[in-house]
Amino acid sequence: MSKRRYAYYRTLKRRILFITLTVSLFMGLLIGCVSCYLYYNYQKQTLLSNIEIFLKYAADTIDRELSGLFTLVNWCQSSQAVANYAVSSDPSVTFSTHDLLNEQYLITSGNEYIRRIIITRKDGGFIQVVPEPIATQPNVTQIISTLPYLSSAINSLDFDFSMGLVADPLDGSLRFKMLPVLRPVYDLYTSEVTGYILMEIDPALFTDALASVHLDSALSCYFNVESKNYLYHDESLSETFRYPLNNQGSMEGYVPYYEDSHIYSGISDDGVRYCHVIRTLSSGNFRLTCRVPFSLFVENLQPFFWIILLVLMLVLIFAFCMFFYLHRVVTKPVNQLKQQIIRISGGDFSKNPSIEWRTELGDIGRGINEMSENIVQLLEKRVAAEKEKQEYEYRLLQSQINPHFLYNTLNSIKWMATIQNAPGIAQMTTSLSRLLKSIAKGTQVSIPVRTEFSLLDDYFTIQKYRYGGAITLDYQIDDESLLDCQILRFTLQPIAENAIFHGIEPTGAAGVIQVRLYAPSANQIQIDITDNGVGMAEDTIQHLLEDDEKNKSSFFRDFGISSVHKRIQYEFGPEYGLSIQSKLDVFTTVSVHLPKLFSPSEAKAQTSEPSDKQQ
């Protein structure tokens, strides 16, 4: 991938566009698919629940009517009058039995679906009740006794409907279909079959119940009588030999609305997938089956697809609006911040108020402006510090007035004092010459502490003779190895001079200067110079570290306590330097804080020493 193309994908604007569109499309498709799935399940659940309710209503209607009809048949089978009629040819018994049968017929629920009910005798006699005049064969008893399903019907313990809907054998045309109910009439004493009870149930009982259910035309309803299957169509039942439950399986993901309903899925012979809702009647082996094609579940989803498409379009429009909004509130400010950073890197530290918005990016802009101001201030302070450092170094250089000439002259005075037996003059001259020699030949900025102590001893020797031995100098060294640590040249002389002139001398009495060397921490050393002079106030201490005007050294012109303090801070950092503690008329302690540094040779010796000891 070329750099130009890589930069194209890396721009914040295009990233925002890509992420916004991707997330929006993904969320839109996810919402659409989930909504479609939920709507599909809802559609399926609603349709199957409605079919269950309709089938339950039809089944309850059929059960209610059949219950009344079966009650009438059971009455005939258990009636003493009917049993007497079956073995008697007395006309009075015939008429009385017929009247009783007619009364029971009239009070029976669902009697409008009884095509006829007949009670026969062995001698060929019969009585019948019909709702309207219909043709009846004269040899009824003979016809009934020759029915192919008579044996299984009368030998069954309960009602047998294995014959299904058959043609009316008592109607000469055989055009009318009916559901026969055949039961025997027993002798009261011998349990011998003395006659038959035949009730012809009109199929309208079932078609009327199914007609009351208003189902979609795409649905197929079946009426099942044991192994016989009838397709309901145009308010009629026609026998079908194609069983609607081929390849049946349980309907996954659906719980029937009623416990006694059963739902199966199956595939037809032409490969179409169907769902079958089955309701079993409580009266005999009757079932109602509704066949639902799966295509019916999704045919109402087409408007929903248009809704999903509209939602996706709205999501895209929202995504573009969000992109332009983010471009205005994010991309442009980021570009302005980027340009400001480029200007700062080019050396332009001017403040830019236009990047200080009232947002989180504005906080970044304010931070950038503050950073540029701090950089300017830091540069200014750095320049001023370097200038001041150079000035101090120049003053120090100025103080080194003709040291070689003075050194040679003092050396001559030393030999003259020795010849004339004046050891004090010789000692003072030797100390002064060593000081001047150090100034003349010393080029190192940092020296070991032991060397600095030697220079301090030479300076103190001169001052001791000046004050007639009224002052003394004591050393306390906690660790001899600290004498090899580095210190700036002539750090201690101005402090000792200040202790003599401004501390001890005003007392008019003898004084003591104590110098202590120790390490307060592993990475730091400290030198405390304490005198028992007049002390100083707190404001004087603060002024002493800030101004050299009142504490200039007589040894180094224009070089005093504050100069030492600033030299140390310039060299080692603001955490080092001088600190002063004092109590009026008691003491003054000036502490020199330095990092624990060794010269390269001493540092090597320090690191190799433990290994030598181990050997």
Side-chain angles (χ1 to χ4, degrees):
M1 183 182 291
S2 65
K3 292 184 177 180
R4 183 177 179 183
R5 189 175 179 185
Y6 182 69
Y8 174 85
Y9 285 108
R10 285 198 59 182
T11 58
L12 182 61
K13 178 180 178 180
R14 287 169 177 80
R15 281 188 178 185
I16 293 175
L17 176 61
F18 176 75
I19 293 174
T20 304
L21 289 179
T22 302
V23 172
S24 300
L25 286 175
F26 175 75
M27 292 301 297
L29 289 174
L30 180 62
I31 293 173
C33 293
V34 171
S35 301
C36 185
Y37 175 76
L38 293 177
Y39 183 79
Y40 168 79
N41 283 339
Y42 172 77
Q43 179 85 352
K44 179 173 67 175
Q45 183 84 20
T46 302
L47 181 59
L48 294 179
S49 298
N50 290 337
I51 293 174
E52 283 190 75
I53 293 173
F54 292 150
L55 291 184
K56 183 179 186 305
Y57 174 78
D60 291 345
T61 301
I62 295 173
D63 278 334
R64 183 176 61 253
E65 303 300 343
L66 286 178
S67 177
L69 301 183
F70 293 161
T71 300
L72 177 59
V73 173
N74 290 331
W75 176 86
C76 294
Q77 198 173 11
S78 61
S79 173
Q80 184 175 1
V82 172
N84 291 332
Y85 166 75
V87 296
S88 174
S89 58
D90 187 351
S92 61
V93 174
T94 300
F95 287 123
S96 62
T97 304
H98 181 271
D99 292 339
L100 285 174
L101 179 62
N102 190 55
E103 289 179 4
Q104 291 297 321
Y105 165 79
L106 293 176
I107 63 175
T108 297
S109 173
N111 57 11
E112 66 271 20
Y113 297 110
I114 298 177
R115 180 173 175 81
R116 77 176 90 219
I117 182 169
I118 297 177
I119 301 176
T120 65
R121 294 196 308 249
K122 282 187 175 182
D123 60 2
F126 68 92
I127 57 176
Q128 71 172 349
V129 174
V130 294
E132 57 185 19
I134 57 175
T136 302
Q137 297 287 352
N139 53 344
V140 172
T141 303
Q142 183 180 358
I143 292 174
I144 292 176
S145 62
T146 59
L147 292 175
Y149 44 84
L150 173 65
S151 177
S152 61
I154 64 174
N155 291 327
S156 175
L157 297 178
D158 201 353
F159 298 104
D160 177 43
F161 301 103
S162 58
M163 73 293 297
L165 297 178
V166 296
D168 186 356
L170 303 181
D171 180 59
S173 63
L174 299 178
R175 293 182 300 108
F176 299 101
K177 295 288 184 177
M178 57 87 182
L179 180 66
V181 180
L182 268 171
R183 299 303 294 162
V185 178
Y186 296 102
D187 185 271
L188 291 176
Y189 304 104
T190 62
S191 298
E192 179 186 357
V193 176
T194 57
Y196 304 107
I197 304 169
L198 172 63
M199 176 184 288
E200 296 179 355
I201 299 177
D202 196 326
L205 185 151
F206 311 109
T207 57
D208 288 350
L210 293 175
S212 64
V213 178
H214 302 284
L215 298 175
D216 193 282
S217 58
L219 304 177
S220 300
C221 288
Y222 294 87
F223 176 67
N224 312 105
V225 184
E226 294 192 6
S227 61
K228 305 289 185 179
N229 303 299
Y230 301 90
L231 174 64
Y232 172 74
H233 182 69
D234 291 337
E235 298 185 0
S236 63
L237 295 174
S238 58
E239 187 172 4
T240 176
F241 298 99
R242 299 180 63 182
Y243 190 55
L245 296 179
N246 293 333
N247 303 318
Q248 67 180 12
S250 62
M251 185 69 173
E252 297 182 358
Y254 180 81
V255 178
Y257 190 78
Y258 296 103
E259 293 183 357
D260 47 358
S261 296
H262 302 280
I263 300 178
Y264 300 96
S265 61
I267 300 176
S268 63
D269 296 337
D270 54 358
V272 179
R273 190 179 180 189
Y274 287 91
C275 174
H276 305 115
V277 183
I278 302 174
R279 179 78 184 189
T280 302
L281 279 66
S282 59
S283 304
N285 294 327
F286 299 101
R287 293 190 311 276
L288 296 178
T289 302
C290 185
R291 187 176 187 178
V292 186
F294 270 77
S295 59
L296 193 62
F297 297 144
V298 298
E299 69 177 7
N300 294 327
L301 291 180
Q302 184 175 2
F304 198 76
F305 290 144
W306 288 105
I307 295 175
I308 293 176
L309 182 61
L310 178 61
V311 170
L312 290 177
M313 293 179 63
L314 292 176
V315 168
L316 289 177
I317 294 173
F318 171 76
F320 278 108
C321 293
M322 181 62 68
F323 164 73
F324 288 114
Y325 174 75
L326 292 176
H327 173 71
R328 184 170 64 87
V329 301
V330 176
T331 308
K332 286 185 176 180
V334 168
N335 287 334
Q336 290 180 340
L337 293 175
K338 180 180 178 182
Q339 294 300 322
Q340 180 66 13
I341 293 174
I342 293 174
R343 283 195 294 270
I344 292 175
S345 63
D348 182 5
F349 300 105
S350 59
K351 184 177 180 180
N352 185 5
S354 63
I355 63 174
E356 297 183 0
W357 307 281
R358 295 181 178 179
T359 60
E360 290 81 356
L361 293 176
D363 295 337
I364 298 176
R366 280 184 287 272
I368 292 175
N369 284 334
E370 292 176 0
M371 180 188 69
S372 61
E373 291 179 350
N374 293 335
I375 292 175
V376 172
Q377 294 176 3
L378 182 61
L379 290 176
E380 292 176 351
K381 289 181 179 180
R382 184 67 177 177
V383 171
E386 288 293 332
K387 184 177 180 181
E388 189 174 2
K389 181 180 179 182
Q390 292 176 1
E391 184 178 351
Y392 283 130
E393 291 176 350
Y394 180 71
R395 289 180 182 180
L396 182 61
L397 190 62
Q398 278 184 329
S399 66
Q400 300 175 3
I401 302 173
N402 215 0
H404 296 282
F405 174 75
L406 292 177
Y407 169 72
N408 293 329
T409 303
L410 290 173
N411 196 33
S412 300
I413 295 173
K414 169 190 172 183
W415 287 111
M416 290 178 64
T418 303
I419 294 172
Q420 297 177 7
N421 196 21
I425 296 174
Q427 189 174 9
M428 287 181 62
T429 304
T430 301
S431 297
L432 181 57
S433 64
R434 279 201 295 262
L435 285 174
L436 294 177
K437 182 180 180 180
S438 176
I439 294 173
K441 295 184 178 180
T443 59
Q444 294 180 340
V445 177
S446 298
I447 59 175
V449 174
R450 67 174 70 253
T451 305
E452 181 70 6
F453 280 178
S454 297
L455 295 175
L456 181 61
D457 287 338
D458 290 335
Y459 174 78
F460 186 76
T461 299
I462 298 171
Q463 296 299 331
K464 180 177 65 173
Y465 283 101
R466 177 181 177 182
Y467 288 95
I471 57 175
T472 56
L473 178 65
D474 295 332
Y475 289 96
Q476 179 182 347
I477 301 173
D478 292 1
D479 186 355
E480 293 291 334
S481 65
L482 299 180
L483 292 173
D484 296 321
C485 293
Q486 297 293 298
I487 187 173
L488 296 179
R489 288 162 56 90
F490 296 108
T491 296
L492 302 181
Q493 183 275 331
I495 301 174
E497 182 178 352
N498 187 77
I500 295 172
F501 291 160
H502 301 287
I504 297 176
E505 184 178 349
T507 62
V512 178
I513 297 176
Q514 293 182 339
V515 180
R516 181 189 175 194
L517 173 63
Y518 63 99
S521 65
N523 299 320
Q524 186 178 358
I525 66 172
Q526 184 170 328
I527 303 174
D528 293 341
I529 304 173
T530 305
D531 67 83
N532 59 348
V534 296
M536 63 183 74
E538 186 67 30
D539 56 345
T540 305
I541 294 174
Q542 190 65 29
H543 187 71
L544 187 65
L545 294 176
E546 295 177 355
D547 188 12
D548 274 342
E549 291 299 323
K550 295 184 180 180
N551 60 91
K552 292 180 180 177
S553 172
S554 61
F555 187 79
F556 290 122
R557 182 166 56 90
D558 297 333
F559 196 78
I561 296 294
S562 64
S563 299
V564 175
H565 176 62
K566 292 177 181 178
R567 281 182 65 206
I568 295 174
Q569 289 191 329
Y570 289 151
E571 186 69 25
F572 301 117
E575 65 270 22
Y576 301 103
L578 303 183
S579 65
I580 302 175
Q581 293 181 347
S582 182
K583 185 175 182 181
L584 289 174
D585 300 325
V586 179
F587 75 94
T588 298
T589 299
V590 179
S591 299
V592 183
H593 305 277
L594 297 170
K596 192 175 183 180
L597 299 176
F598 295 92
S599 64
S601 59
E602 293 295 337
K604 184 177 180 181
Q606 291 283 342
T607 55
S608 62
E609 186 175 322
S611 62
D612 294 339
K613 291 180 179 180
Q614 290 175 0
Q615 293 175 359

